[in-house]
Amino acid sequence: MSVLDVAWAERWMHVAATDVRAARDELTELDRRIGDGDHGVNLDRGLSAVVGRLDDPAQPVRETVGQVLRLAATTMMSTVGGAAGPLYGTAFLRASKVTDRAELGPTGVVALVEAALEGIVARGRATVGEKTMVDAWQPAAEAAERAEGAEHVVDVLRAAAAAASAGSASTVPLVATKGRASYLAERSAGTEDPGARSSAIILAAAVAAAEGSGG
Ligand code: ADP
Ligand code: MG
């Protein structure tokens, strides 16, 4: 596929909800070790609410990718809770502002990932290496930028998702200096950051939705 459309954005949210549901216990266990154990439940609740609203015939039909992402943003802000709700909410809200079109090519996908990262940084003021979701989104944005010249738009997403997964894995040895895990100081080392892990899952869902293999 050379462009990603509104149906892709809606599939992305459906696949993300399914995949986060499948990973809920894993995310909860990571957050139990270095936080308060609610990340999987928080995100599952939020993405289920997003899908509920997308599937609600009373909702207006979405005509741009940005409209799908704005619905996801406002729903996650009000339903996810914790630190992750405002962080993901701001990420999707910023992303919605640069995607107010019916279709995205490679440049549009790069802008989406960059805007999401900017939203997370604007909200949480974390930098790479602090053991947060920035450790997934920053390498994802950089990989997307490097892949911008790709022939197929899905290759931009694949690059971003692979970098997010590697970035999340890179948080295992880190000591957290932001968020609840920072209360543990040195004891936060040895566990993957739950928000970085969920970010990698959400970006992998974007790939699956583009390949039409999700759901
Ligand atoms: P809470 O910490 O309030 O229980 P969650 O468990 O839902 O919220 O989310 C925790 C995740 O939020 C962390 O794993 C981390 O990735 C992310 N996070 C926390 N603080 C920040 C921050 N300042 N910047 C970026 N991400 C953060
Ligand atoms: Mg938590």
Side-chain angles (χ1 to χ4, degrees):
M1 212 192 309
S2 58
V3 292
L4 297 170
D5 57 11
V6 176
W8 161 76
E10 298 199 349
R11 272 200 311 279
W12 178 14
M13 293 300 118
H14 277 95
V15 179
T18 302
D19 291 356
V20 163
R21 167 76 44 95
R24 184 176 60 181
D25 293 349
E26 176 203 338
L27 293 170
T28 290
E29 174 59 19
L30 294 177
D31 196 38
R32 195 188 61 71
R33 282 190 223 154
I34 61 169
D36 57 356
D38 62 355
H39 188 62
V41 172
N42 286 349
L43 206 52
D44 178 32
R45 181 176 57 240
L47 285 167
S48 297
V50 171
V51 165
R53 285 185 68 190
L54 287 173
D55 289 347
D56 178 359
Q59 290 288 326
V61 172
R62 278 71 54 180
E63 285 166 358
T64 68
V65 171
Q67 285 167 2
V68 177
L69 300 183
R70 188 166 303 119
L71 179 150
T74 55
T75 307
M76 289 175 87
M77 292 243 196
S78 60
T79 58
V80 173
L87 288 161
Y88 274 124
T90 310
F92 280 101
L93 197 61
R94 293 283 185 107
S96 77
K97 291 185 200 295
V98 297
T99 53
D100 244 335
R101 291 191 302 284
E103 294 180 336
L104 304 180
T107 306
V109 172
V110 173
L112 187 168
V113 179
E114 285 176 340
L117 167 66
E118 283 162 19
I120 291 163
V121 171
R123 188 86 208 188
R125 307 268 163 217
T127 53
V128 162
E130 292 194 283
K131 200 177 182 98
T132 72
M133 52 177 80
V134 171
D135 290 316
W137 284 94
Q138 178 141 328
E142 288 166 1
E145 286 158 14
R146 286 194 298 274
E148 189 169 354
E151 189 181 345
H152 298 290
V153 66
V154 66
D155 290 331
V156 182
L157 283 178
R158 282 197 188 103
S165 182
S168 182
S170 81
T171 65
V172 173
L174 297 177
V175 171
T177 50
K178 284 279 191 309
R180 202 180 286 278
S182 66
Y183 307 159
L184 291 177
E186 304 293 324
R187 282 178 294 136
S188 66
T191 297
E192 189 168 359
D193 178 62
R197 178 81 193 112
S198 64
S199 298
I201 291 169
I202 288 170
L203 279 164
V207 177
E211 290 169 338
S213 60

